[in-house]
Amino acid sequence: MNLVLFGPPGAGKGTQSKILTEKRGLPQLSTGDMLRAAIEAGTPLGLSVKATMAKGELVSDETVVRIIGERYDQPDCKNGAVFDGFPRTIPQAEALDRMLAERGRKIDLVLELKVDDAVLLSRVEARIKAGGVLRSDDTPETLAHRLGVYYRNTAPLIDFYRGQGKLKTVDGMAPVEAVTGQIAAVLDGIPA
Ligand code: AMP
């Protein structure tokens, strides 16, 4: 099964993807994690995306489509994957459909985690208050910018996937376990 977890920054995509990986054995393919790993390792890719990511802007479609394609061809994706933070633009979604079609696969379901902007902001503020290691793009200012990018570039995917009949929306403001439960109910309702 190939799933897309979709929603604004801080909606809980990463958290729910990890739970899906544990419970359903589907690897989490997070372009954000892959890019942060590249920055950490100081690779040419990492160097080329560092400033863009710090500003909360999108890395080029070409770059993320390439890294997701390479990752998807690893053996652990033979039964599918959970796409987390990808696609983020219509061209990325079209490239993903093409990539899967070439491999005789398809996106089975797109799960939208719906969370109000005010809740996203209060989550960032709570993380800051709690201390710990924060991502450089995890600040109220960068969140505001990332939300603008989300509404401009990524939100149009809601209609794209609704048009394909693949979109299901869950309440991302519920407690983590309740969101997990809603996702399980949706997944158990669709054929494997
Ligand atoms: P994330 O961890 O998904 O919130 O992504 C963190 C940052 O990585 C984003 O703000 C972008 O700069 C970059 N990024 C991650 N995924 C994508 C994508 N699919 N397209 C473009 N940029 C991305």
Side-chain angles (χ1 to χ4, degrees):
M1 182 188 297
N2 291 287
L3 292 177
V4 172
L5 270 195
F6 183 85
K13 301 186 293 289
T15 301
Q16 295 298 333
S17 299
K18 287 189 176 69
I19 294 171
L20 282 168
T21 299
E22 264 169 39
K23 294 202 166 159
R24 312 230 170 203
L26 294 172
Q28 172 196 16
L29 268 52
S30 158
T31 38
D33 284 352
M34 292 175 207
L35 295 168
R36 277 184 290 276
I39 292 175
E40 193 67 25
T43 65
L45 167 66
L47 291 174
S48 73
V49 299
K50 192 171 177 179
T52 307
M53 280 180 74
K55 281 187 277 187
E57 281 164 19
L58 293 184
V59 169
S60 76
D61 290 339
E62 194 196 347
T63 300
V64 288
V65 167
R66 180 171 49 78
I67 61 173
I68 212 88
E70 287 169 6
R71 179 65 186 86
Y72 192 78
D73 283 333
Q74 301 296 311
D76 61 333
C77 298
K78 64 180 188 311
N79 294 322
V82 181
F83 294 91
D84 162 14
F86 178 91
R88 264 180 156 95
T89 65
I90 298 274
Q92 289 179 23
E94 291 170 344
L96 178 59
D97 280 351
R98 275 197 304 276
M99 177 192 93
L100 291 173
E102 280 164 12
R103 290 158 177 76
R105 312 259 185 105
K106 63 177 170 55
I107 292 295
D108 297 286
L109 189 69
V110 177
L111 284 161
E112 179 198 9
L113 301 182
K114 216 172 160 55
V115 181
D116 293 345
D117 291 1
V119 173
L120 297 171
L121 185 61
S122 63
R123 286 180 180 177
V124 175
E125 287 168 346
R127 284 195 290 274
I128 290 172
K129 238 180 170 169
V133 184
L134 282 183
R135 274 164 50 177
S136 60
D137 60 355
D138 200 22
T139 65
E141 297 73 32
T142 315
L143 174 70
H145 189 75
R146 294 170 77 208
L147 274 175
V149 170
Y150 171 78
Y151 286 115
R152 210 166 34 252
N153 299 289
T154 309
L157 290 175
I158 294 174
D159 279 343
F160 177 89
Y161 284 121
R162 190 178 282 132
Q164 292 189 353
K166 293 180 177 166
L167 188 78
K168 297 273 185 214
T169 301
V170 301
D171 174 11
M173 291 178 284
V176 173
E177 308 76 52
V179 178
T180 304
Q182 290 179 56
I183 292 175
V186 171
L187 289 180
D188 295 337
I190 70 160

